[in-house]
Amino acid sequence: MIHRICRLALAAALAFVPALAFTAGAAADVSSGAAIWRPPVQSRWQYQLQGSKAHAATGGINVGICEVPQSGGACVRPSVFDIDLYVDAEVAGDNTTLNTAGVDAIHAKGAKAVCYIDAGSIEDFRPDYPAFAEWHDSHGKSLLGKPFSDEFPNERWANINNDKGQRDFLLKMMEARVDKCVRAGFDGVEFDVVHAHEEGQKVTGWNISAQTQLTYNKALAAMAHRKGLSVALKNDLSQVDELVSHFDYAVNEECFQWKECDVLSAFVKAGKPVFQVEYKTSPGGFCSKAAALKFNSIKKATDYSLYDKPYKPCR
């Protein structure tokens, strides 16, 4: 089973913030033709979705991290940070603070920031969750499926079919989130959990076809580009060949553990980087393979937490 990461939930939901209510400060579609940032194939990255109070001034993000890679030598710094749209509630005291501070600090280091958004499952600790729940209840319980997993019961698989307008609604909600990424100053976006068709109805609660998944994923990629952001394909390895031309880089969890990395070479061949993370496998067990494939691989905590440390890049 392909794994993914979720930030820790709040103990109770906070005040409802309607996701579809665009404020005066909401980002508009990009029409100026400004260049979209696209990273080179060899770009070191950091995956930090959970914040630390020790770095509260920079949105909980350790922008000064520098660690000796598996290959040895001097410490190295990431040039790409994949962080959550919001400051961790443990740091901010709420779950509604956009991580502009983290983005600004990343930019001050000369690096780029990718905005983490969950697009295929609905987390009950997000500020826009009441809008999803209300739509679900008013449309025949047709949006929120089974819990994502025993490990992450606080999120449920989203129904990306469109027989009752579910996909249209989800895309509007994702657009509101992407606009917040733009407002916070992010350079790119990672849409997580975009592989429901691979898991099947027994896991998700929904019968999602491969074509339906392609339709949704392509719409997400086009949305990001329309907003001036680059975009990552997260996992969904069975559709890499169909999607590599629509996405600017790949983000993958545990392909070395599950021996399924080779398909991601399509990104490297297209001149696009693969940002890859392992949790259970030791760097000695995958870094040489990552080097051969020209992947940007790192080792994070074995318990799947995503704080700043541990952080062990392969090179």
Side-chain angles (χ1 to χ4, degrees):
M1 176 180 176
I2 297 175
H3 295 273
R4 47 89 55 192
I5 297 301
C6 169
R7 285 176 57 206
L8 297 178
L10 292 177
L14 299 181
F16 169 38
V17 179
L20 296 181
F22 291 86
T23 66
D29 287 1
V30 173
S31 59
S32 63
I36 293 174
W37 164 74
R38 291 182 169 93
V41 170
Q42 293 293 282
S43 302
R44 292 188 182 92
W45 80 306
Q46 163 69 308
Y47 206 21
Q48 188 189 344
L49 300 186
Q50 292 170 262
S52 168
K53 291 181 179 179
H55 302 284
T58 53
I61 307 302
N62 181 1
V63 298
I65 193 166
C66 189
E67 298 291 324
V68 175
Q70 176 68 13
S71 58
C75 72
V76 296
R77 303 177 185 276
S79 60
V80 178
F81 288 75
D82 193 333
I83 68 174
D84 200 90
L85 168 60
Y86 295 100
V87 179
D88 194 312
E90 294 289 325
V91 177
D94 59 56
N95 67 344
T96 61
T97 301
L98 301 184
N99 207 346
T100 306
V103 174
D104 288 347
I106 289 166
H107 288 164
K109 292 290 185 179
K112 299 295 185 179
V114 175
C115 185
Y116 175 89
I117 292 175
D118 199 332
S121 65
I122 308 305
E123 305 149 311
D124 65 14
F125 56 91
R126 295 298 186 178
D128 56 1
Y129 175 75
F132 291 101
E134 181 181 351
W135 198 97
H136 174 73
D137 289 340
S138 63
H139 290 78
K141 310 284 187 183
S142 61
L143 183 65
L144 305 179
K146 293 184 177 181
F148 184 82
S149 66
D150 291 340
E151 189 173 10
F152 301 112
N154 56 345
E155 57 182 298
R156 295 165 66 182
W157 287 92
N159 185 1
I160 62 171
N161 289 305
N162 212 34
D163 54 295
K164 296 181 183 296
Q166 300 96 321
R167 186 167 64 248
D168 291 341
F169 174 75
L170 285 166
L171 288 171
K172 288 179 181 179
M173 296 294 286
M174 294 307 121
E175 184 168 11
R177 290 179 173 185
V178 172
D179 279 341
K180 291 179 179 179
C181 294
V182 173
R183 194 185 316 158
F186 282 92
D187 306 286
V189 58
E190 173 203 338
F191 293 109
D192 201 3
V193 193
V194 292
H195 63 283
H197 74 108
E198 295 177 339
E199 300 296 342
Q201 187 171 5
K202 185 176 180 180
V203 171
T204 69
W206 310 117
N207 183 16
I208 308 294
S209 71
Q211 184 56 53
T212 294
Q213 192 73 63
L214 282 174
T215 298
Y216 186 58
N217 292 1
K218 288 178 182 180
L220 291 172
M223 177 195 302
H225 289 155
R226 193 169 67 247
K227 302 292 182 176
L229 300 178
S230 60
V231 60
L233 176 64
K234 178 67 170 290
N235 296 327
D236 194 16
L237 299 181
S238 66
Q239 297 187 324
V240 164
D241 288 344
E242 294 94 335
L243 292 173
V244 64
S245 63
H246 296 267
F247 288 80
D248 304 301
Y249 36 93
V251 171
N252 171 267
E253 292 177 304
E254 299 189 304
C255 71
F256 288 109
Q257 178 177 336
W258 302 106
K259 297 179 174 58
E260 54 190 13
C261 289
D262 287 350
V263 67
L264 287 167
S265 294
F267 274 88
V268 176
K269 291 176 182 177
K272 301 176 180 183
V274 174
F275 298 118
Q276 200 274 329
V277 58
E278 294 290 326
Y279 303 102
K280 302 294 187 182
T281 307
S282 67
F286 68 86
C287 278
S288 62
K289 300 172 186 176
L293 291 170
K294 298 182 180 179
F295 288 3
N296 306 289
S297 294
I298 59 176
K299 171 72 167 67
K300 298 293 287 186
T302 57
D303 65 359
Y304 296 104
S305 60
L306 283 172
Y307 293 99
D308 57 331
K309 296 180 181 181
Y311 166 67
K312 189 74 170 180
C314 284
R315 60 175 184 85

